[in-house]
Amino acid sequence: MMTAGRSLDAIRPCLEGAVPAAIATCGADGTPNVTLVSQVHYVDASHVALSFQFFNKTRENILANPQVTVFLLHPQTSARYRLALLYRRTETAGPLFESMKAKLAGIASNAGMSEVFRLRGADVYQVLDVEHVPGVEVPPAQCPPCHIARLRQLSQRLAGCSDLASLLEQCLEGLASQLEMPQAMILLLDSQGQKLYTVASHGYPLSGVGSEFPLGRGIIGVAAQFRTPIRIAHMASEYAYSRVIHEHLAEAGLGNRLETEIAFPGLAEPHSQLSVPILAAGRLLGVLHVESAEPHRFGYDQEDGLMSLASLLGASILALQQVVDGPAEEGAALPLAAPLPGAPLTVRYYPANSSVFLGEDYLIKGVAGAIFWRLLSLHVEEQRSEFSNRELRIDPALKLPELDDNLEARLILLQRRLAERSRDIVLQKCGRGRLRLLLKRPVLLQQIAAR
Amino acid sequence: MTATTLNDEQVRFIESGVSISAASRDVRRVPSVSKVVGCRVATDRRQITLLVDAAQAGQLLRDVEVSKALAVVFCLPSSHRTLQLKGRDAHQVALAPGDAELAARHRDAFAEDLLPLGYALPFARATHEFQQEQLRALCFTLSDLFEQTPGPNAGSRLEQG
């Protein structure tokens, strides 16, 4: 249902929590009540939600009399608006609740009240009217960019990509240059569905590719679990990446150093964070995450833009998975090269968790580790250097997860880790769906059985 | 039962240029709410006069005329300290000499508090700006006083000072 008068969409900056709103209610006995709240959350064009934190007079009143009037100030222009609201329901779990909980954590932390604010519920109100109240207004300091126009340019870049690696790269480069979001990363869901792994990042000293993030924890994990955008406008310690990761590992009894061997790439003190789920064909594929050292960097418009971009990214990832690999030349061997010079590099493989160490240095684990071990084994045993994605998919020694897993993403991860961690072993693409393994030193393979 | 009064400190607080919003309600108990641009307390510390801009507060003024019910929230943004005052006998009164100056001082004092929080001065002043010819005064006797600073004590009734 559309609201009468001005659209709620046009006043979304008033709903960012930058300036408190006055909430007026009236009890069954006719006594009015007025209180200030920091969060009037935009739900859709005809609904807002208020945070329910305490059993107070406002709460008592809306249960007795659902009519509420809210006074809002625009945080840049000081334009005044009154909303006529009707209380409809309270949500105590789910996407809306999680979005508001995270946002509240940022607001509370900024106000030095992290211990005070706790979300009990999201009170959802129908917006019956939006009234523009007359009064002095100041012109906005700057004209916001047209997000639709920027998004259009970025979607054209993505449409030109013919493989996953360039899709991820173009997406992150486009976020930096077209949407002015230079710190960004893409995480994909592991086939087990319990964790996300970083497959690409932009704007960090260390890429963090291969690092893991638990599902359902922190801003990224909650965005994934609830398939909803999560946005925080201030530094919120309970959503700090390292805290989330370490708490999860401690609770899961995974004191395993491998889990944290690859450092997560995020900023140490992000003051703005926005995570959106990458969804396609009804499935969660991963999370697109952006952040900034500045507070209030991302608003509703950026959230909408990133959600649209994530949809496009999801559809493109699925579409590229369907692209047929290059002509099969399976088993094609290059002429046997002369023996490599130098002392052999010991490569150790632990089948228990498919982890691989180059000398003493951890490289990778999981599906990417198993694939790497298989490539090296075939290279040593059969003197092969070229491989096809297709043979890896059906290789009985690998037992790759069914369709759900993205082999291409695992290979990007492996390539990137090798590029960052080894001068002796290079993994390259050589045509669509084909790989070449290049060794600059002999290798000595050691498989370490589980004890 | 003794009448509810404000103590000296509370009087200073609500007159100091804090953010003020007032609410009333119509016969169908639909709430109305508006910004208040100034406040003064009588020497008895019970009679409180609020200044509003009629161009912004039309519904509030009409509702007060009928219901006489008023709730007013006072908040200092830099400390989050918040008080809510209520009255059952609110009514419009004539402006007193100096009320326009009082509202101007209130506007400037509020902007002072807002500046260190990172807001620009034009914005900070605009939030409590008013048209002098539209100023109206509402007076009420304090009937209830509540602590409303965010936290576990929010909403608790304060005894007279």
Side-chain angles (χ1 to χ4, degrees):
Chain A
M1 192 197 82
M2 284 303 293
T3 55
R6 190 171 279 257
S7 146
L8 194 61
D9 289 348
I11 63 160
R12 290 202 299 182
C14 303
L15 309 177
E16 293 289 2
V19 178
I23 311 295
T25 57
C26 182
D29 67 349
T31 306
N33 192 80
V34 60
T35 183
L36 299 180
V37 300
S38 47
Q39 201 181 10
V40 180
H41 185 91
Y42 174 87
V43 178
D44 60 37
S46 51
H47 292 87
V48 293
L50 302 184
S51 64
F52 159 38
Q53 299 169 54
F54 306 101
F55 287 99
N56 53 20
K57 185 55 89 174
T58 297
R59 182 82 192 154
E60 187 186 320
N61 285 355
I62 60 159
L63 296 178
N65 170 11
Q67 306 176 102
V68 172
T69 306
V70 172
F71 193 93
L72 294 170
L73 272 180
H74 191 289
Q76 282 97 40
T77 68
S78 182
R80 300 146 177 85
Y81 300 96
R82 249 186 299 260
L83 306 183
L85 305 181
L86 195 63
Y87 169 66
R88 302 307 296 255
R89 65 179 184 278
T90 298
E91 295 185 9
T92 55
L96 175 65
F97 180 83
E98 293 296 333
S99 283
M100 290 185 72
K101 184 177 156 190
K103 212 186 224 183
L104 181 68
I107 293 168
S109 164
N110 185 51
M113 295 196 175
S114 295
E115 305 306 315
V116 173
F117 290 177
R118 190 176 74 83
L119 191 67
R120 290 170 185 264
D123 289 339
V124 180
Y125 293 80
Q126 185 181 344
V127 180
L128 303 176
D129 186 41
V130 179
E131 178 197 356
H132 186 192
V133 179
V136 172
E137 296 176 15
V138 294
Q142 66 224 32
C143 220
C146 178
H147 292 93
I148 288 285
R150 305 282 182 98
L151 199 58
R152 169 186 160 167
Q153 292 158 6
L154 187 44
S155 24
Q156 280 175 313
R157 275 174 89 149
L158 297 195
C161 297
S162 57
D163 63 57
L164 184 64
S166 63
L167 180 75
L168 300 177
E169 189 182 312
Q170 287 298 315
C171 178
L172 293 177
E173 279 184 9
L175 271 174
S177 60
Q178 263 130 358
L179 295 185
E180 292 162 27
M181 299 179 184
Q183 264 102 31
M185 62 187 87
I186 297 166
L187 296 95
L188 294 180
L189 186 68
D190 187 78
S191 54
Q192 310 292 313
Q194 289 310 305
K195 62 190 176 192
L196 299 145
Y197 60 93
T198 311
V199 68
S201 72
H202 185 280
Y204 302 101
L206 295 172
S207 79
V209 162
S211 59
E212 296 179 350
F213 208 93
L215 197 76
R217 300 284 189 127
I219 179 167
I220 294 169
V222 171
Q225 184 180 351
F226 292 92
R227 301 184 175 197
T228 190
I230 304 281
R231 180 157 62 88
I232 306 181
H234 300 280
M235 179 71 201
S237 55
E238 53 268 59
Y239 285 82
Y241 310 119
S242 58
R243 176 166 163 181
V244 164
I245 291 168
H246 284 105
E247 279 179 359
H248 164 71
L249 293 175
E251 282 174 30
L254 295 168
N256 191 340
R257 68 186 183 95
L258 281 191
E259 308 295 334
T260 52
E261 190 70 28
I262 307 175
F264 187 75
L267 295 170
E269 292 198 342
H271 286 258
S272 294
Q273 297 169 275
L274 171 55
S275 276
V276 301
I278 303 170
L279 302 166
R283 279 164 46 200
L284 173 74
L285 302 187
V287 169
L288 177 58
H289 179 70
V290 296
E291 58 178 355
S292 168
E294 301 294 317
H296 277 291
R297 177 65 185 77
F298 310 124
Y300 288 104
D301 287 345
Q302 282 84 359
E303 181 181 313
D304 288 348
L306 216 62
M307 279 296 276
S308 305
L309 180 62
S311 287
L312 190 60
L313 191 60
S316 304
I317 289 172
L318 279 199
L320 290 175
Q321 276 179 293
Q322 307 307 316
V323 172
V324 180
D325 295 334
E329 298 164 49
E330 279 152 30
L334 289 177
L336 200 56
L340 293 162
L345 171 69
T346 303
V347 180
R348 279 178 296 138
Y349 179 64
Y350 295 82
N353 58 1
S354 306
S355 58
V356 179
F357 289 75
L358 301 179
E360 294 306 311
D361 298 331
Y362 170 66
L363 178 71
I364 199 141
K365 67 179 176 67
V367 177
I371 292 170
F372 184 51
W373 183 252
R374 183 63 181 154
L375 295 178
L376 279 178
S377 304
L378 287 170
H379 180 78
V380 169
E381 288 159 18
E382 301 177 16
Q383 286 77 49
R384 288 178 51 202
S385 292
E386 285 199 19
F387 310 89
S388 75
N389 289 7
R390 181 182 298 174
E391 67 170 299
L392 295 175
R393 271 196 200 97
I394 56 172
D395 191 330
L398 279 173
K399 294 197 265 323
L400 285 182
E402 295 286 313
L403 281 173
D404 258 14
D405 203 66
N406 191 331
L407 174 66
E408 197 81 17
R410 304 294 185 174
L411 293 172
I412 291 171
L413 192 65
L414 180 56
Q415 275 177 298
R416 188 69 200 251
R417 280 296 287 169
L418 281 168
E420 289 176 3
R421 306 300 299 181
S422 175
R423 285 191 300 265
D424 302 315
I425 305 175
V426 179
L427 190 63
Q428 299 173 329
K429 274 197 81 142
C430 57
R432 185 182 290 287
R434 298 194 63 78
L435 294 164
R436 183 180 293 132
L437 184 67
L438 293 174
L439 268 55
K440 297 176 183 166
R441 232 175 116 174
V443 289
L444 181 64
L445 304 188
Q446 288 183 351
Q447 180 161 328
I448 317 289
R451 266 174 268 174
Chain B
M1 195 179 124
T2 46
T4 304
T5 58
L6 295 168
N7 64 33
D8 289 344
E9 194 277 327
Q10 288 160 344
V11 171
R12 275 197 302 278
F13 176 71
I14 71 171
E15 287 186 338
S16 68
V18 293
S19 154
I20 314 175
S21 301
S24 186
R25 52 92 176 171
D26 68 10
V27 290
R28 294 164 64 131
R29 296 182 180 171
V30 176
S32 49
V33 58
S34 199
K35 272 249 170 282
V36 174
V37 298
C39 162
R40 56 184 157 82
V41 183
T43 49
D44 69 355
R45 296 186 306 194
R46 296 189 64 214
Q47 300 292 319
I48 293 140
T49 303
L50 304 177
L51 303 175
V52 296
D53 183 320
Q56 298 179 16
Q59 187 64 47
L60 181 83
L61 291 167
R62 285 190 292 279
D63 288 351
V64 165
E65 201 174 328
V66 176
S67 73
K68 301 190 187 318
L70 199 62
V72 197
V73 67
F74 299 80
C75 174
L76 183 66
S78 59
S79 71
H80 306 288
R81 185 183 177 196
T82 312
L83 286 178
Q84 184 180 202
L85 279 58
K86 292 192 184 183
R88 301 180 193 122
D89 64 350
H91 56 284
Q92 202 170 320
V93 295
L95 290 173
D99 272 350
E101 290 74 17
L102 186 148
R105 282 198 304 278
H106 180 271
R107 172 197 64 206
D108 297 345
F110 179 79
E112 283 284 301
D113 185 64
L114 220 49
L115 288 187
L117 304 183
Y119 294 94
L121 184 63
F123 166 82
R125 284 173 61 97
T127 59
H128 284 67
E129 196 54 271
F130 60 94
Q131 293 170 273
Q132 196 168 325
E133 66 279 10
Q134 292 286 348
L135 270 190
R136 302 288 184 276
L138 287 173
C139 183
F140 68 98
T141 310
L142 178 64
S143 63
D144 304 274
L145 177 60
F146 301 93
E147 167 64 49
Q148 223 150 286
T149 306
N153 296 326
S156 58
R157 186 183 294 271
L158 295 175
E159 296 309 318
Q160 67 278 8

